[in-house]
Amino acid sequence: MSSPLYNAFQDARQHLVSRSSSEKSVYLGLVFKAYILRTDSQFALAYFFLIMLGIVERLLSFGIDCIRDKPGQPWRIFPRACSYFVVTMIRYVLMIAIMSPYIPMFLIICLGLTLGQVLVEIIRYILMIRQVKQTGLVGNDSSGSLKDSLLDTNGHRMPTRTNHVNESCC
């Protein structure tokens, strides 16, 4: 009565809880370099690295959307393009790493991306609350929708969702 997914999670849990030296090692392929993880410290370092990559990818995606285009300021295209290049490279590294048949690696990458998205949502919430306090709209929504009246620091409307943050990782 147990499903294959349940069995896979049980195997992954068992592997994480008790790793013996007789078990085979795990291959972690990245874009330009590959590692063979054998010891617990190597696994911990790889997990930490992948979690941080997921968080950085989400924060950089949010940062790209914070660089607004303005008429007469074409120089803003260059930082957005450079940031997008870095984000794309991180996404490809995560995509190659997630393609390993090792279930805990998949879960760790998903955890890192989720933690990064939680941070992005917290930052958005803080910016929204700050804007509400600056405009004095707390408790007074008679002049239209509160969501429509929120502006960013440059006087532009704050987008409800942004393009790069909502792009998939892989």
Side-chain angles (χ1 to χ4, degrees):
M1 177 119 166
S2 62
S3 69
L5 183 61
Y6 178 76
N7 290 337
F9 278 112
Q10 287 296 346
D11 291 342
R13 184 185 149 283
Q14 181 64 26
H15 182 76
L16 285 176
V17 171
S18 63
R19 288 199 60 228
S20 67
S21 60
S22 65
E23 291 186 43
K24 64 182 196 178
S25 56
V26 173
Y27 176 81
L28 174 61
L30 301 175
V31 176
F32 300 113
K33 184 107 171 124
Y35 299 95
I36 296 181
L37 307 176
R38 291 186 179 98
T39 65
D40 290 337
S41 61
Q42 289 174 339
F43 275 92
L45 187 61
Y47 290 165
F48 178 75
F49 175 72
L50 292 172
I51 288 172
M52 293 310 296
L53 267 182
I55 292 171
V56 167
E57 189 275 331
R58 295 281 81 200
L59 291 175
L60 283 176
S61 295
F62 180 69
I64 290 173
D65 294 324
C66 290
I67 302 173
R68 297 273 182 201
D69 292 332
K70 286 186 175 180
Q73 294 182 348
W75 61 267
R76 289 180 183 240
I77 294 170
F78 185 72
R80 284 178 62 104
C82 290
S83 299
Y84 188 74
F85 176 79
V86 172
V87 167
T88 303
M89 290 298 293
I90 292 173
R91 287 177 181 168
Y92 278 116
V93 167
L94 290 173
M95 180 189 66
I96 297 297
I98 208 167
M99 290 171 63
S100 75
Y102 186 61
I103 299 290
M105 200 73 67
F106 171 79
L107 296 174
I108 290 296
I109 292 170
C110 291
L111 173 69
L113 291 169
T114 302
L115 289 175
Q117 188 63 34
V118 167
L119 287 175
V120 165
E121 295 300 329
I122 289 171
I123 292 169
R124 277 189 184 153
Y125 181 77
I126 290 170
L127 291 175
M128 182 184 67
I129 294 299
R130 187 177 297 161
Q131 183 64 37
V132 167
K133 287 180 181 178
Q134 286 177 353
T135 57
L137 293 173
V138 178
N140 183 13
D141 196 21
S142 61
S143 64
S145 172
L146 177 64
K147 186 166 109 177
D148 292 337
S149 62
L150 293 177
L151 304 175
D152 66 6
T153 56
N154 297 325
H156 299 99
R157 280 204 175 138
M158 285 182 60
T160 54
R161 290 287 179 232
T162 54
N163 294 335
H164 296 291
V165 171
N166 289 332
E167 284 184 6
S168 63
C169 168
C170 304

